[in-house]
Amino acid sequence: MASLSFIIGIIGNIISILVFASPIKTFWWVVKKKSTENYKGVPYITTFLSTSLWTFYGIMNPDGLLVVTVNGAGAIFQLVYVILFLVYAPKDKKVKTAKLVAILDVGFLGAAIAVTLLAFHGTMRLTFVGIICAGLTIGMYASPLSVMRTVIKTKSVEYMPFLLSFFLFLNAGVWSAYALLVKDIYIGVPNAIGFILGSAQLILYLMYNNKKSAEAIEEEEEEEGGGGSAHLVKGGIEMHSVEDNLNNRSLNKWKSLPKPNFSRQHSMQKIIKTLSLTPYELQSSWPLHESDTEEGNLDLP
């Protein structure tokens, strides 16, 4: 039984480290763009607190070697993520993140360790830290409940990544088996709850994987309707262009006809008379009679 629990614990270490390493790609882009954009630092701050306390729990537990290795590695990952977030976050978000780090990862963590060492003795230390760690782990596994509610409401798994849900389900299942073998209730209870919630997430994924959300359907309908309108508008523009061409040809043909001689002579007289006026007389003579413009006697500038 001891060797089996050790093997399962090793498997749990590997899966957990894969889960802890999953944000590497995200932070690679953060470093490349030198900005955290819309990412939030709360998950990394709380996970750093959880892994640090679990490491402390494993140190006090005589059989907690595998708990120390996995959570120690996880704490290092989360510490790097938190530091990178503080470096590349905008100024306002950087201040808020720093305050949260000071409260949770320094204040709460330090207070929990101090109270454990000073106020409790013997097995009570392990019980006190184990209860805190179990509560934090249950909170971590319960956090996707809002995502699950969104999946049910929208009937789409767009906002629930499959790989993350699958690895959390697998991680909870392996650590539940490990806790059952070593008879550790503080590891077993939160991971059993996580296994149940992870199973529910995978069931939802199978139910709504091939279904589109109502918003996506509406967008497609709008795009199709917009495409039809565009075709109609385009057709209207083309017909309008054809009519304009025909009208322009008729107008050019009409303009090309010779004008009567009396109109030309009258136009020349008007031009000569206009050129002989002084600037003041020229200004006072406007506007011309409508008959002059209608008959084409004088082209306005």
Side-chain angles (χ1 to χ4, degrees):
M1 293 294 291
S3 60
L4 180 60
S5 64
F6 184 79
I7 293 172
I8 292 177
I10 292 294
I11 296 172
N13 270 248
I14 295 171
I15 295 173
S16 296
I17 290 173
L18 288 175
V19 174
F20 292 141
S22 59
I24 287 179
K25 186 177 180 180
T26 298
F27 279 92
W28 172 259
W29 282 105
V30 167
V31 174
K32 190 174 180 180
K33 295 182 178 180
K34 300 186 184 301
S35 174
T36 56
E37 296 182 344
N38 294 325
Y39 293 112
K40 296 181 179 180
V42 176
Y44 312 108
I45 295 171
T46 54
T47 306
F48 176 70
L49 173 63
S50 176
T51 51
S52 298
L53 282 172
W54 273 115
T55 303
F56 181 59
Y57 174 87
I59 292 172
M60 292 190 300
N61 191 340
D63 300 322
L65 176 62
L66 294 175
V67 177
V68 172
T69 54
V70 65
N71 286 284
I76 293 172
F77 273 107
Q78 304 306 317
L79 179 60
V80 173
Y81 299 150
V82 170
I83 292 173
L84 289 175
F85 197 92
L86 287 172
V87 170
Y88 294 107
K91 188 175 180 180
D92 56 339
K93 190 179 291 186
K94 186 179 297 185
V95 173
K96 293 180 181 178
T97 305
K99 289 180 180 179
L100 198 59
V101 170
I103 294 171
L104 294 179
D105 296 338
V106 178
F108 185 83
L109 179 61
I113 294 174
V115 170
T116 302
L117 296 177
L118 298 175
F120 298 98
H121 301 280
T123 57
M124 285 302 297
R125 289 180 174 177
L126 202 64
T127 301
F128 178 71
V129 179
I131 291 173
I132 296 175
C133 292
L136 290 173
T137 304
I138 290 173
M140 181 192 72
Y141 283 124
S143 59
L145 287 175
S146 60
V147 179
M148 295 169 66
R149 185 169 58 250
T150 303
V151 170
I152 296 173
K153 185 178 179 180
T154 62
K155 302 185 185 305
S156 171
V157 294
E158 181 181 0
Y159 303 103
M160 188 174 70
F162 172 76
L163 288 178
L164 182 59
S165 300
F166 176 74
F167 276 110
L168 287 175
F169 159 80
L170 201 60
N171 183 67
V174 171
W175 284 110
S176 296
Y178 173 84
L180 187 63
L181 293 172
V182 300
K183 297 178 181 180
D184 192 323
I185 189 174
Y186 306 112
I187 297 176
V189 171
N191 282 286
I193 294 174
F195 182 76
I196 294 171
L197 293 175
S199 301
Q201 288 184 55
L202 294 180
I203 291 172
L204 286 177
Y205 195 90
L206 292 175
M207 289 175 60
Y208 298 112
N209 183 28
N210 296 324
K211 294 184 179 181
K212 296 181 180 179
S213 64
E215 293 180 358
I217 294 173
E218 288 179 2
E219 288 179 359
E220 289 183 358
E221 290 178 352
E222 287 178 0
E223 289 178 359
E224 291 177 358
S229 299
H231 287 302
L232 291 173
V233 171
K234 184 178 179 182
I237 292 172
E238 289 177 352
M239 291 298 295
H240 185 67
S241 299
V242 171
E243 291 177 359
D244 286 346
N245 291 333
L246 292 174
N247 291 334
N248 289 334
R249 289 179 183 177
S250 301
L251 184 61
N252 291 333
K253 184 176 180 181
W254 177 82
K255 285 184 177 180
S256 63
L257 294 176
K259 295 182 179 180
N261 293 332
F262 72 88
S263 178
R264 291 183 182 180
Q265 292 175 0
H266 184 70
S267 177
M268 288 299 295
Q269 290 176 0
K270 281 284 185 181
I271 293 173
I272 294 171
K273 183 178 180 181
T274 303
L275 292 175
S276 64
L277 295 175
T278 63
Y280 178 78
E281 292 174 338
L282 181 63
Q283 184 178 0
S284 63
S285 66
W286 292 92
L288 299 177
H289 295 289
E290 293 181 1
S291 59
D292 295 333
T293 57
E294 289 177 358
E295 294 175 2
N297 296 330
L298 184 63
D299 294 332
L300 299 177

